Amino acid sequence: MCDNFVSKRHLRRLVKKEIENFSNCTRQTLTDQELSAPIEINQSSNEGSQSENFNIHDEMNPNDTSFSSEKKDCIDRKLASWVINNRVSNECCNSLLSILKSEGINVALCKETLLKALYAENSYCPNESPSISQMPPGEYFHFGLEKALMMHGQYLLLNAKSELLLDVFVDGMPLYKSSSTSLWPILCSFSEFKNSQPFLIATYIGKSKPPDVKDFLKRFVEEYIYLKNEGFKIGDKYFTPKIRLFVCDTPARAFLTGTVGHTSAQGCSKCEQEASYKNKRLNYAIVPGNARTDEAFLARKSQAYHIQQFRSETHPLELCNIKMVTQFPLDTMHLIDLGVFKKMLRLILQNKHTKSKLNVAEINELNRKILYIAKYTPKEFARKGRLFDEVCRWKAKEFRQVVLYTGIIIFKNILHEDLYTHFLLLHTAYRMVSCPSNCHKNLQCVQQLMEAFVADFALIYGSDKISYNVHNLLHLAKCVENFGNVENFSSYKYENFLQTLKKDCRKPSYISQQLNNRCMERHLLLKTNDPKFLPLGQKHRNNLFMRYKFDTYFLSGKSPDNFCFTMSMVPIKVYGFLVDSGEEYVVGNAFTDAVSLFQYPVDSKKCLGICKAKTLNIHREKINMRDIYCKIFCVPDGEYFVFIPILHHCQI
């Protein structure tokens, strides 16, 4: 045993003695200071010094309400925003407030007091009982459509027309891993504002999906019909809501419309083709059947397509004059990203196709390429590439990134030529329907590409692999014709918001009350104006700015965010940004020999903006910011640089 061993009891005595010695020393120091004639200094000070000393003292005194009232409100407001945005628990918030209080900062004593002023500004009572009704075996919580829209009142007054176009989303979501409790929320967003966040209207909480769609939609339909007929007033302006479309995955769409699911032979929601069984799975033909129409749905022409309940009854959504076929487009997140492409990729990796099989070395090369490209992925992409060995754990955005961007580089010279060409059919058609402005011009080409892709899918992977999702690619062009590019009816932003709702439910009891309080708190922090930002960054290099912020993206002087296209489709490597005579410029080097990356099925440079180049001009040039077309995903590939326009803001 060590000679210097000290028992716990003796250690406590030593610590206590040291604390007492320190306290005595501090008191003695204060006494000496008091005896060192501070009064003489104050008496010798001039009037201005005394005034200055008093001002400093007043500022540091937390009990002086004449100064700290306004400052306290500002601090409380910031803390309240922090608490709401980060879902801070009561215990954590109260602990922080007590620490700040002990340091002389004048703040609220507890979380309830902290949020009180914020509630008072918006006339909200936190103890207000939410509208909950029993819907055995679960319960139904109705937040309210009018209530949610009124929360956006100031924003709507500044930006919206009198007719509010709404997109509605419905889907189920499990709340906990150890319980079967799930949410089936009804979410809305504003169709005209692409960056608008969804907001909650109502939700069913139970062990399974809602037992009856009529009960589930009853209050939402009643309120929507009332607001559509009567409107609602914000300030001096009247608004009337109008549903533009419903965003759902396949099971939710079947539940909402009261039709049979995708496991039925009559399951296609867009045509009357009847599937047949082959190798114990449903298979569709490679050509579409007779299109379903809204009039035929209303007249119940195809009885087998409707569930028994609605073969004679009127569906609740039909009371709202909702078009039950047209206004339910196909969601590409579930159709392509998590559907067709995920299936196609797994068949390739498992060698379940008729072409040349992949060996271990080729799969390792695929893994090397996807990790290599991750270093060149711009900040617009939330996820970087992961190994193909973990494809079963990939998220939807990872599949989307490969099929729309990196797949044309990763699969090149590794997949069999027929497999690579088949992939290009899907890649080209998907990029065309993802285009923000020119998607309507390419619909005929998209339809031909999709028909060729489905036909070749049967030849390469077998006719028994033409599943519901593969067949529905034939109907995607029609959805784009009705509602524009696929981002207009994608599930991505709603699925992200589902995770927000999931985090709002901290404990398994009083779920409706938790959702009500969190939704109200989020609405209290809504901004009336768009966030302001400084276009030019603060860092400099050779008197150049290093960053420029556009509306939907930013460019930088550093890799991988330093490539863009000009209006004439010339790729530019950005070096920095310059302000000259009130005009803003990009300073960079242009590539002089850009050519198409592939010629089949279309000319990639002419139709998609995808090209490659290897010669970079050594002379820097100054390009007006108005001549910048879009940002580029740039990947070095051998002696070439491959340029892929980013679809977040691209108009190709």
Side-chain angles (χ1 to χ4, degrees):
M1 182 179 293
C2 180
D3 295 336
N4 296 326
F5 174 79
V6 179
S7 67
K8 292 183 179 179
R9 180 180 297 178
H10 186 53
L11 181 61
R12 285 197 294 269
R13 292 193 189 114
L14 293 174
V15 171
K16 185 176 179 180
K17 185 176 180 180
E18 289 295 324
I19 293 174
E20 290 175 354
N21 292 337
F22 177 80
S23 300
N24 294 333
C25 180
T26 304
R27 282 195 293 270
Q28 182 63 35
T29 302
L30 290 174
T31 304
D32 294 340
Q33 290 176 352
E34 291 173 357
L35 297 175
S36 62
I39 299 177
E40 294 179 5
I41 296 175
N42 289 337
Q43 288 177 346
S44 63
S45 300
N46 56 32
E47 202 172 56
S49 302
Q50 291 178 2
S51 175
E52 182 179 348
N53 288 338
F54 282 129
N55 288 336
I56 296 173
H57 176 72
D58 291 342
E59 183 176 353
M60 297 300 293
N61 183 7
N63 298 321
D64 188 350
T65 58
S66 62
F67 174 83
S68 61
S69 177
E70 182 179 350
K71 187 174 181 180
K72 177 180 181 300
D73 292 341
C74 180
I75 294 176
D76 285 352
R77 176 80 184 189
K78 292 179 179 179
L79 285 172
S81 301
W82 172 75
V83 167
I84 293 173
N85 287 328
N86 295 280
R87 302 182 187 84
V88 179
S89 65
N90 294 349
E91 294 79 6
C92 179
C93 179
N94 295 340
S95 176
L96 174 65
L97 292 175
S98 65
I99 293 173
L100 296 176
K101 199 76 174 177
S102 67
E103 294 297 323
I105 301 175
N106 192 7
V107 294
L109 292 174
C110 63
K111 181 180 177 181
E112 183 177 353
T113 308
L114 185 68
L115 300 179
K116 199 176 209 179
L118 197 60
Y119 292 149
E121 289 177 13
N122 296 271
S123 302
Y124 166 60
C125 176
N127 296 322
E128 182 180 300
S129 298
S131 178
I132 303 173
S133 57
Q134 296 303 313
M135 191 181 292
E139 66 179 22
Y140 176 84
F141 161 55
H142 190 77
F143 186 78
L145 177 60
E146 182 178 10
K147 184 178 178 181
L149 293 175
M150 292 292 288
M151 291 290 183
H152 295 78
Q154 294 182 357
Y155 181 78
L156 296 178
L157 283 173
L158 293 173
N159 301 281
K161 302 176 182 177
S162 57
E163 184 179 68
L164 290 176
L165 293 180
L166 301 177
D167 296 342
V168 182
F169 172 86
V170 178
D171 198 5
M173 171 189 64
L175 276 182
Y176 311 107
K177 293 182 179 180
S178 58
S179 170
S180 59
T181 303
S182 61
L183 289 181
W184 274 76
I186 301 175
L187 306 179
C188 274
S189 69
F190 299 110
S191 305
E192 297 176 331
F193 311 128
K194 302 307 178 187
N195 296 324
S196 67
Q197 291 300 310
F199 48 91
L200 180 68
I201 303 301
T203 184
Y204 171 81
I205 305 163
K207 300 291 185 182
S208 60
K209 72 178 183 180
D212 188 352
V213 68
K214 292 183 68 175
D215 295 337
F216 177 65
L217 293 174
K218 181 180 178 182
R219 292 190 62 181
F220 170 73
V221 168
E222 290 175 350
E223 186 177 16
Y224 171 70
I225 293 175
Y226 172 79
L227 293 176
K228 186 179 179 182
N229 295 332
E230 303 296 331
F232 63 97
K233 187 177 181 181
I234 301 177
D236 297 329
K237 191 174 180 180
Y238 276 92
F239 295 92
T240 55
K242 181 180 179 181
I243 294 177
R244 185 182 69 131
L245 56 84
F246 285 82
V247 181
C248 312
D249 62 5
T250 302
R253 187 188 308 117
F255 170 71
L256 273 189
T257 56
T259 56
V260 296
H262 63 286
T263 57
S264 170
Q266 301 281 347
C268 181
S269 61
K270 300 300 180 183
C271 74
E272 298 177 354
Q273 183 182 132
E274 185 174 349
S276 59
Y277 277 92
K278 187 174 183 180
N279 293 339
K280 298 182 180 181
R281 59 168 66 97
L282 277 176
N283 293 276
Y284 288 82
I286 59 175
V287 293
N290 296 327
R292 297 191 189 276
T293 63
D294 300 313
E295 295 75 19
F297 188 101
L298 190 61
R300 305 295 192 265
K301 292 290 183 65
S302 178
Q303 287 283 309
Y305 179 58
H306 303 268
I307 62 174
Q308 189 68 37
Q309 178 183 3
F310 293 110
R311 291 179 182 177
S312 56
E313 292 184 28
T314 301
H315 193 280
L317 293 179
E318 292 175 326
L319 301 174
C320 309
N321 296 322
I322 299 295
K323 297 177 181 179
M324 302 297 285
V325 176
T326 307
Q327 290 184 253
F328 283 82
L330 300 167
D331 166 39
T332 51
M333 172 182 163
H334 295 93
L335 176 66
I336 298 180
D337 303 336
L338 291 175
V340 175
F341 182 63
K342 181 178 181 179
K343 176 179 181 176
M344 177 180 170
L345 190 56
R346 295 181 70 174
L347 289 173
I348 290 174
L349 295 176
Q350 295 171 5
N351 287 324
K352 293 184 178 180
H353 50 82
T354 60
K355 302 300 177 181
S356 177
K357 312 299 182 182
L358 292 178
N359 55 41
V360 175
E362 289 170 332
I363 294 178
N364 290 337
E365 181 63 13
L366 290 176
N367 289 329
R368 186 197 67 80
K369 279 191 172 185
I370 199 169
L371 293 180
Y372 167 76
I373 291 176
K375 299 183 296 184
Y376 301 98
T377 304
K379 291 186 181 297
E380 278 78 8
F381 297 86
R383 295 181 178 274
K384 310 300 180 183
R386 282 194 287 174
L387 296 176
F388 284 94
D389 299 337
E390 301 176 350
V391 71
C392 59
R393 300 182 182 90
W394 281 15
K395 300 296 184 181
K397 286 189 175 181
E398 293 174 279
F399 288 105
R400 183 177 183 270
Q401 181 177 328
V402 173
V403 70
L404 282 177
Y405 295 93
T406 59
I408 56 177
I409 303 172
I410 294 172
F411 297 139
K412 188 177 181 181
N413 299 326
I414 296 180
L415 292 187
H416 186 272
E417 183 179 354
D418 288 348
L419 289 175
Y420 183 69
T421 303
H422 186 240
F423 166 76
L424 289 180
L425 291 172
L426 180 63
H427 166 83
T428 303
Y430 197 6
R431 283 193 70 92
M432 284 183 172
V433 295
S434 300
C435 157
S437 62
N438 296 331
C439 56
H440 291 287
K441 301 177 183 178
N442 301 319
L443 288 180
Q444 185 176 359
C445 180
V446 168
Q447 187 64 32
Q448 295 173 354
L449 291 171
M450 288 301 190
E451 289 175 359
F453 176 83
V454 173
D456 289 349
F457 200 98
L459 295 175
I460 295 174
Y461 303 103
S463 58
D464 60 330
K465 300 295 193 303
I466 307 299
S467 61
Y468 176 90
N469 283 330
V470 176
H471 166 77
N472 267 287
L473 291 176
L474 302 172
H475 305 299
L476 184 59
K478 186 66 176 177
C479 298
V480 175
E481 181 182 354
N482 293 330
F483 301 109
N485 76 90
V486 295
E487 291 301 313
N488 292 340
F489 47 89
S490 171
S491 291
Y492 276 105
K493 68 176 179 180
Y494 302 101
E495 294 286 349
N496 290 337
F497 188 75
L498 288 181
Q499 300 307 309
T500 300
L501 293 180
K502 188 173 184 178
K503 293 176 183 177
D504 289 342
C505 304
R506 298 170 182 165
K507 57 183 180 180
S509 58
Y510 302 105
I511 293 175
S512 298
Q513 288 83 346
Q514 294 179 72
L515 290 174
N516 181 69
N517 292 338
R518 300 294 88 74
C519 288
M520 287 298 302
E521 289 170 356
R522 271 194 297 273
H523 286 310
L524 295 181
L525 295 180
L526 285 175
K527 304 299 182 183
T528 57
N529 298 315
D530 293 331
K532 303 297 180 182
F533 51 81
L534 188 66
L536 289 169
Q538 298 296 323
K539 296 182 180 179
H540 299 73
R541 179 174 64 186
N542 296 337
N543 295 323
L544 295 177
F545 292 95
M546 292 301 296
R547 175 171 172 163
Y548 190 92
K549 182 74 172 65
F550 292 85
D551 291 337
T552 56
Y553 66 100
F554 80 94
L555 284 174
S556 170
K558 296 182 179 180
S559 178
D561 300 291
N562 59 333
F563 291 90
C564 64
F565 269 135
T566 63
M567 289 294 182
S568 56
M569 300 307 295
V570 175
I572 300 292
K573 182 178 182 180
V574 178
Y575 182 76
F577 306 92
L578 177 68
V579 179
D580 186 10
S581 302
E583 291 286 336
E584 297 170 340
Y585 297 91
V586 172
V587 178
N589 305 80
F591 287 86
T592 59
D593 58 345
V595 295
S596 299
L597 181 66
F598 54 84
Q599 296 291 337
Y600 179 86
V602 296
D603 187 314
S604 65
K605 183 180 179 182
K606 180 180 178 180
C607 298
L608 304 176
I610 299 175
C611 58
K612 63 180 180 179
K614 62 179 178 180
T615 305
L616 184 66
N617 194 335
I618 60 174
H619 300 291
R620 291 199 183 102
E621 52 186 296
K622 190 170 66 173
I623 305 160
N624 196 296
M625 200 65 69
R626 293 191 298 270
D627 294 330
I628 299 302
Y629 188 64
C630 67
K631 189 175 178 178
I632 298 175
F633 193 146
C634 175
V635 180
D637 185 25
E639 61 179 355
Y640 286 95
F641 290 86
V642 178
F643 305 108
I644 309 170
I646 297 178
L647 290 168
H648 294 66
H649 43 81
C650 172
Q651 297 182 359
I652 296 175

